[in-house]
Amino acid sequence: MSVPARRRPAPGPRVTAADVRGAVWSLVSTTVGLGLAIWFVPGVEVTNPWSLLLAALAVGLGDVLLRPVLRSLAHRFGVVGALVSGVVAQLAVAWAALTYLPGFRSGSWVDVLAVLVLAAVLMAIGRWVVGASDNEYVLGDLLRRARRQAGLPRRDRGAVSAAERPAGLLVVLLDGVARPTLDYALQAGLTPTLARWLGSGSHHLTTWWARVPATTPASTIGLLHGSTEHVPAFRWWSRALGRLVVTNRPADAAAVEARTSDGSGLLAGGGVAVSTMFSGDAATSLLVMSRAREGLGPGQMFVHFFASPFVLVRAVVVALGEFFKELYQGWQQAVRGVEPRVSRLGWYPVLRAVTNVVLRDLNTTLVAEQLVRGAPVVCVDLVDYDEIAHHAGPLRPESLRALEGLDRVVGLWEQVAAVSPRRYDVVVLSDHGQSLGSTFEQVEGRSFLDEVRRLMALRPGPHEGPRAGEGRSRGEGRRRATAPDSEAWGPTNTALNALRPAAPEAVPEGAGRMLVGPDRSERRGGPGAAALPELPEVAVVGSGNLGMVWFPREPRRLTGDEVRARWPALLPGLVASPAVGVVVERGTGGALRAHGRGGSRDLRTGEVVGQDPLTGYGSRAAADLLRVADLEDAGDLVLVSRVDEVGMVHAFEGLVGSHGGLGGAQNEAVLLHPAHLALPDDELEDVDGARMLVGAEAVHRRLVAWLGDLGLRPAAPAAEGEP
């Protein structure tokens, strides 16, 4: 999307009719909200109705007058300063208005807080009743400021002429959205913004192939940094480190980025990363996992969200509603007997409330602020759909409703971009898709780890833990398949690591550990690591329907023959499992062979003995499995679940919607790009009869080439094959 427009007026702010309408609407809604809230709260009384109007004016005026002071405090004290000062300022202004203005009688600050919360609830309900956008409510002031700076009326989609505005690029990652899922949403009318772009011809929609491992860390680092060679799964055993590496652990994300980055990532040269796992070498990183130890980002960037009247309170209140909505929807699945399904209790409802409301509103504000500031390139990762689809299913109603909400966010950014100092093009893509299916544990009757141990004839001790002497082995794959998804805890851990006090320099890893979630106990390393017991005999990890098994006590990967000699039942038992489709073993001389129930295939030569085990996995299966099994930290054994005729798979972890391996729609990622940005045919490969970019690295090269076309970066040299 790039928006041509009229000539820019003379510099300097001016008040437009849109500003007046916006101010009147804000004044009326605040007045009504305060009045109803005061009526419900017994500790506050109003004797003169006109006092409500005066209080609403005071709240708005206080926001305007205090904003420069709050920005200064946030600049000095960071995000914590923005949060604390913003909340205190809102409470102080409301307390002063309800205490000192004529016509009010108020009790304690608790009563004032109750009025603020209730007013936010009532205003949110009112906007829903009249059909107004909650997200525009969050960004109303920012939009008015941008329009005023551009000298434009509210409904004017033209800002300044294209010749007068430099180019910019907004890259929006819709985490976990498969191409078939987006096609369905377009036909169902759930994504009207994207449908309008496609209908007008301003954008083209295509598919790109997310190679194995089809996971967020692999795709994201490939998209932002151009290489995935150091990421074999979502989490993996590192023989060099002697522990599990978990990319949702900020220290591990930082280490992976350090190994991969060459300093010229997608966002190098002044770009901004928002809520991504890796930075892309951005100059400004906001809520970025790999930069969590450096903080959430400049504090003044967060002032608008934390200090605007009712915005933060509204987000918290709506998050509470999202929590109860999740409980109801999960209960409905159980009552209706929807299959396959997994438990949606535990911490997941809390995580959904945080990511789908608070973080979405915060991301909406942060990206819009960067567009108004004129950042040359902005990239944001929106995880709402992916998280719900993991637990509810990729095409279940609640998942698609999350996608509908993300389309509204993109539409709001379109409005902001139209009045921004740059002429922004918008690229919307996903990092992978998702596939539906019962979990390994539901099919097999025991978790992936327990099944591997059984086949190895290991005898776990009490509480289904490892055998005696291995109870605290370093980073053993202890995480149960039914544990909450680590991917969902990422944004929460990013924020907590950034907000916690800095760790001593002598223990740098401590600044980036998993503070909450199922992987929090798997952190190892630092001064005490040498005192830990011996390495575990086996480490088992599931990344969706991609499974990996390591034997950490061995200094190198074991060959298939060595595995058979030590644990004769392991390989045959895994191959025979009803939930497993393919097991890849290493042979002598670097050979890699994929085994299935009826035969095997040499992944290097293509030689097949018996039935080809890769039948049904698509034309990219052999190349993808060969590549991932060849990665430095790949498992000694690599598994992919069975896939049925409709594309349903079996995750090796407790998720009904999964991604990581092969099968279903999980590898069919989305790329929606402006029509004037070319996608050369010689960069495309044939995948099951369709032409598409293959691998996140190829998409990265194309994005960088588009930056060159837009004049945002020197033209990229011609690609010389796969990196």
Side-chain angles (χ1 to χ4, degrees), residues 173-177 208 210-211 214-217 219-220 223 381 386 429-433 487 659 666 669-670 696:
L173 289 172
L174 300 181
D175 204 305
V177 179
W208 71 272
R211 297 188 298 188
T215 62
T216 295
S219 290
T220 303
L223 293 169
D381 188 3
D386 187 66
L429 71 161
S430 60
D431 51 351
H432 51 74
E487 190 173 0
H659 53 86
Q666 61 184 303
V670 170

Side-chain angles (χ1 to χ4, degrees), residues 11 49 96 128 197 226 290 325 357 379 384 413 462 471 543 585 606 608 645 655 689 692:
W128 174 75
W197 294 356
S290 64
K325 181 168 71 173
V357 178
C379 180
D384 310 40
W413 287 335
S543 298
E585 66 169 26
V608 175
E645 60 277 3
L655 303 172
M692 65 184 70

Side-chain angles (χ1 to χ4, degrees), residues 85-97 108-114 116:
S85 61
V87 172
V88 170
Q90 291 186 55
L91 190 58
V93 169
W95 178 80
S108 67
W109 65 269
V110 176
D111 296 324
V112 176
L113 179 61
L116 277 176

